[in-house]
Amino acid sequence: MNQERLIRLRLELEKYDLDAMLVRYASNLRYISGYSGSNGLALITRKDAFFLTDFRYKTQAEQEVTQMQLRVPREADLFAALAETAVLKAGMVCGFEGNRLSYESFTRLGLLFPGTEFRDMSMLMETLAAVKEESEILDLEKAAGITDKAFMELLNEIKPGISERQLDAKLSYIMKSLGSERDSFDTIVASGVNGAKPHHKPGDKLLREGEFITIDFGAMYQGYHADVTRTVCLGKADAKQKEIYDIVLQAQLKALAFIRAGITGKAADAVARDLIVQKGYGENFGHGLGHGLGYEIHAEPRLSPKYEEKLQVNQIVTVEPGIYIPGWGGVRIEDNVVVKEKDCRNLTTAPKNLLEL
Ligand SMILES: [Mn+2]
């Protein structure tokens, strides 16, 4: 954690006429404080910054939270402990994470701080975190590198007769052996007809000769999520498999060649989508082209038909077109890229030609 993030947040406080911002959601809290535990709370005012956690995380917070005044109250109820600090006074305006805080917590805040106005600042923290610092790009690059390497090792394990769940377990073992802190999310291994479900949960189904296998997975490094998808063929691909694979690959390459700062998320999505529509599979690409990555697996910005914001230098996004055909299966290909001024830099190097194993 660096002072820079607090400075940027305080500029937002000024911009929105806030006296303070209350941060509670784990990945936002990590971003602003450096704290990687679960229970914690930060209150950032124009001049001060307070961090509260409970006894279980005392040592960890002392090590990780270097730019805030640390309070470890006796009670685990951090809102009540915040009230005791008397920092939030009547008449103050305090922002909160409306998209993250539970209704119960919001109600408690109203009871504990009757004279304070709480203002919904949904997405403020997420927007701040969307543009990455150089050190964050290095961490994500490291996560992407572990992910690529794991995929190459996994290729030796993809054989007829092994189940989707077993392949998932092997991949998790390989990634952790290579330095991943944990799986970025529950790995998707979707074989054969299961590939038609974009978020298929790996099950007992055995891999069979002639099937496509879609594997969506990622390593985590310093809290940063990689998110990569490859679709491979077990044995020789038939004409239909080759056709669908080629369309998805062309759509992805076209989007990768187009993405740069200044274009909207909508425009990026359209480049891949238009090609898939032209080929007659528009109905089979029902999700957005991509999403931001960071301390969250699905972060800002988005590449989707609804996202009108412009991409900025040093945002990191996934690029993941797919075609899903019920009763047949599916193909998705996904890389992670850093948005640059004139183009984008691909952090993913795993091969994308159709692999017939
Ligand atoms: Mn993804």
Side-chain angles (χ1 to χ4, degrees):
M1 225 307 284
N2 51 46
Q3 194 70 32
E4 187 65 27
R5 292 181 194 172
L6 281 175
I7 293 169
R8 284 172 51 212
L9 176 56
R10 289 201 172 105
L11 288 175
E12 300 295 309
L13 296 186
E14 271 179 42
K15 187 169 146 190
Y16 293 104
D17 269 327
L18 300 169
D19 297 300
M21 177 75 196
L22 178 68
V23 182
R24 180 83 164 122
Y25 186 68
S27 52
N28 291 338
L29 196 56
R30 185 167 187 176
Y31 184 76
I32 201 63
S33 72
Y35 172 75
S36 66
S38 57
N39 191 36
L41 175 163
L43 184 79
I44 298 94
T45 67
R46 300 257 187 139
K47 283 200 183 107
D48 297 309
F50 298 90
F51 185 91
L52 285 75
T53 186
D54 69 76
F55 173 81
R56 295 169 299 169
Y57 298 103
K58 184 172 186 286
T59 305
Q60 182 179 346
E62 283 166 356
Q63 291 165 345
E64 293 178 340
V65 183
T66 54
Q67 311 282 346
M68 296 184 177
Q69 298 178 46
L70 185 62
R71 303 277 166 87
V72 184
R74 276 182 173 276
E75 54 181 324
D77 179 348
L78 300 185
F79 286 141
L82 182 66
E84 277 175 25
T85 66
V87 181
L88 268 186
K89 295 181 182 68
M92 286 175 81
V93 182
C94 179
F96 72 98
E97 303 154 292
N99 55 327
R100 304 293 191 181
L101 205 72
S102 72
Y103 178 72
E104 184 195 18
S105 293
F106 178 71
T107 307
R108 285 218 65 216
L109 285 175
L111 293 171
L112 285 164
F113 304 93
T116 304
E117 181 193 335
F118 288 95
R119 193 172 293 165
D120 179 5
M121 295 306 293
S122 292
M123 300 307 288
L124 174 66
M125 300 306 298
E126 288 85 346
T127 305
L128 274 182
V131 174
K132 270 43 183 191
E133 297 148 13
E134 289 305 324
S135 69
E136 297 184 279
I137 295 173
L138 285 174
D139 287 340
L140 223 143
E141 193 163 10
K142 177 93 179 177
I146 295 170
T147 306
D148 283 336
K149 216 166 163 202
F151 176 71
M152 298 315 289
E153 283 191 27
L154 187 75
L155 290 178
N156 304 314
E157 308 287 346
I158 303 176
K159 296 186 179 92
I162 181 178
S163 74
E164 292 173 344
R165 191 178 291 125
Q166 284 170 325
L167 201 62
D168 167 23
K170 281 178 191 284
L171 181 55
S172 188
Y173 178 81
I174 293 170
M175 286 199 288
K176 281 176 181 151
S177 304
L178 291 170
S180 173
E181 290 160 8
R182 65 172 175 82
D183 296 351
S184 266
F185 51 91
D186 287 343
T187 294
I188 295 164
V189 178
S191 63
V193 291
N194 289 338
K197 292 179 271 181
H199 276 187
H200 174 69
K201 194 171 152 55
D204 292 325
K205 184 189 164 303
L206 306 180
L207 309 187
R208 282 192 301 259
E209 191 81 18
E211 285 181 336
F212 263 172
I213 302 145
T214 298
I215 307 161
D216 187 346
F217 64 109
M220 177 182 285
Y221 186 75
Q222 301 282 34
Y224 288 91
H225 299 71
D227 181 6
V228 166
T229 307
R230 288 292 182 267
T231 301
V232 299
C233 192
L234 193 49
K236 283 274 165 215
D238 63 27
K240 169 101 172 177
Q241 286 172 321
K242 283 181 181 164
E243 181 212 341
I244 302 293
Y245 190 91
D246 192 56
I247 295 169
V248 175
L249 180 59
Q250 293 314 316
Q252 205 234 14
L253 293 175
K254 210 170 165 190
L256 288 172
F258 180 71
I259 290 171
R260 61 181 185 278
I263 63 161
T264 63
K266 182 180 177 172
D269 176 276
V271 167
R273 192 168 304 281
D274 289 351
L275 189 144
I276 291 173
V277 168
Q278 257 174 39
K279 300 284 184 183
Y281 292 98
E283 293 299 308
N284 305 92
F285 177 27
H287 58 73
L289 179 67
H291 53 86
L293 293 169
Y295 283 145
E296 284 283 305
I297 178 66
H298 295 121
E300 291 300 290
R302 311 281 166 162
L303 309 183
S304 84
K306 284 186 188 153
Y307 196 88
E308 311 268 1
E309 304 277 316
K310 286 176 178 167
L311 302 183
Q312 296 175 51
V313 171
N314 289 347
Q315 288 182 330
I316 300 184
V317 294
T318 69
V319 182
E320 49 176 315
I323 291 178
Y324 312 92
I325 304 173
W328 180 80
V331 173
R332 180 166 64 258
I333 303 172
E334 174 179 27
D335 290 347
N336 304 155
V337 307
V338 187
V339 176
K340 298 311 249 181
E341 207 179 323
K342 296 202 168 82
D343 54 10
C344 65
R345 181 161 74 88
N346 201 333
L347 302 179
T348 305
T349 60
K352 281 190 287 198
N353 55 313
L354 177 53
L355 297 179
E356 298 174 303
L357 305 173

